[in-house]
Amino acid sequence: LKVLSHIDSVLRSPRAPPLIYRRSKGLVQNSIKENGQECGFEHLPLTIEMWADQLMALKDLHKSLRKVSLELVPWHTADPQDNRESVRVEDLQFMVDAILEEIENKEKTSQTPSLPTLFAIVAHFQKLFDVNSLNGVYPRMNEVYTKLGEMTNVMRNLHELLGLDSSAPPTVVVDTVGKLCDIINENVTEQVQQLLGTQDIHSIINKLEEHECFFPPFQALIQDLLCLLEISNLDDILPTVRNLK
């Protein structure tokens, strides 16, 4: 009776889960009254069996969480419960909290590329810019950056000189420069034609041929006159001839 009384006091404790204490509905054969209070334990075997199953499942859950923890937080390998027969709920809660914290940290650092990704980026850069070794990556990066800055400045100046919008693509700049060169070439051809006094290309060729025939004898004559008159300047030929008269 004393033992049953102690059990009854535990069952009626405020800390006891409601599941383990149920007031009997009527007269029960095995019920014991002490100090005018009932002690009904007919449902406890089923409850204890359920608890035993839950404790065994708790150990299985602990093993599963250990596997997950080793994958996500391998640095938390020291588990004080490994050498204990019992597993506490707070130990499982600690493992779950550690896993959740690791997941949150991974979500925060998800923008950081992995090491294989960085290797792939470096290899791609070496392929694009013909870099044979890792030591040449930084110098080539600096060279590419310098060239890019120069090209950016050139394109900006061309946009301003050609009166183009800053958003105009390079193809538009090239087309505009090509049209400008065509206009310049047309003007030069026209100026040459006006200088030679003809609009006919065949006439230009004839004049050049006449020049080639006339100029060498004329140049030889002038050289002879300079030597004969003992002068060196073309402007002195005419005054010297007049003095001879």
Side-chain angles (χ1 to χ4, degrees):
L1 293 176
K2 187 176 182 180
V3 173
L4 294 177
S5 177
H6 285 308
I7 294 175
D8 185 65
S9 64
V10 172
L11 296 181
R12 294 175 180 274
S13 171
R15 297 180 57 189
L19 180 64
I20 67 173
Y21 178 74
R22 299 174 185 171
R23 178 176 290 276
S24 299
K25 299 179 179 179
L27 182 62
V28 181
Q29 184 178 0
N30 295 329
S31 296
I32 299 176
K33 294 184 178 180
E34 184 177 349
N35 297 327
Q37 296 181 353
E38 292 183 354
C39 298
F41 309 122
E42 67 276 3
H43 67 284
L44 286 184
L46 295 177
T47 303
I48 293 174
E49 288 178 2
M50 181 189 68
W51 284 358
D53 293 338
Q54 292 296 315
L55 289 175
M56 292 300 297
L58 203 63
K59 292 182 180 180
D60 294 336
L61 178 60
H62 178 262
K63 292 179 182 179
S64 299
L65 286 178
R66 282 282 297 159
K67 293 180 180 179
V68 176
S69 179
L70 289 175
E71 290 292 331
L72 296 179
V73 284
W75 49 89
H76 291 170
T77 54
D79 190 347
Q81 296 301 321
D82 283 346
N83 298 325
R84 296 185 185 180
E85 293 183 358
S86 62
V87 178
R88 298 180 302 178
V89 175
E90 51 264 36
D91 299 325
L92 301 181
Q93 186 63 47
F94 173 78
M95 298 173 65
V96 172
D97 291 341
I99 293 173
L100 290 176
E101 182 179 359
E102 176 63 18
I103 292 175
E104 290 177 356
N105 292 334
K106 282 188 175 180
E107 290 178 351
K108 292 179 181 179
T109 59
S110 60
Q111 299 299 324
T112 302
S114 62
L115 193 59
T117 302
L118 294 177
F119 282 152
I121 292 173
V122 174
H124 188 61
F125 180 88
Q126 289 182 262
K127 182 179 180 180
L128 289 177
F129 298 99
D130 194 22
V131 182
N132 297 325
S133 65
L134 291 177
N135 293 331
V137 170
Y138 279 111
R140 186 56 59 87
M141 282 184 175
N142 294 332
E143 181 182 352
V144 171
Y145 178 78
T146 302
K147 294 295 184 182
L148 178 61
E150 293 176 355
M151 294 299 299
T152 301
N153 292 332
V154 170
M155 292 300 295
R156 186 187 304 112
N157 294 332
L158 286 175
H159 280 94
E160 293 178 357
L161 292 174
L162 299 174
L164 298 175
D165 187 79
S166 59
S167 61
T171 53
V172 175
V173 176
V174 173
D175 292 341
T176 305
V177 172
K179 293 178 181 178
L180 184 61
C181 291
D182 292 339
I183 294 173
I184 293 174
N185 291 334
E186 291 176 358
N187 291 337
V188 170
T189 302
E190 184 179 354
Q191 291 176 2
V192 171
Q193 292 175 348
Q194 292 177 357
L195 178 64
L196 297 178
T198 179
Q199 303 295 324
D200 187 3
I201 188 64
H202 295 291
S203 299
I204 296 175
I205 295 175
N206 293 333
K207 287 183 176 295
L208 290 175
E209 291 177 349
E210 292 175 359
H211 179 270
E212 290 180 355
C213 294
F214 170 77
F215 186 76
F218 177 77
Q219 183 180 19
L221 175 62
I222 295 299
Q223 291 294 334
D224 293 341
L225 285 175
L226 293 175
C227 292
L228 181 63
L229 299 175
E230 296 180 353
I231 55 178
S232 59
N233 195 347
L234 293 176
D235 295 335
D236 297 334
I237 294 178
L238 186 58
T240 305
V241 172
R242 285 177 178 173
N243 292 332
L244 292 177
K245 292 176 61 177

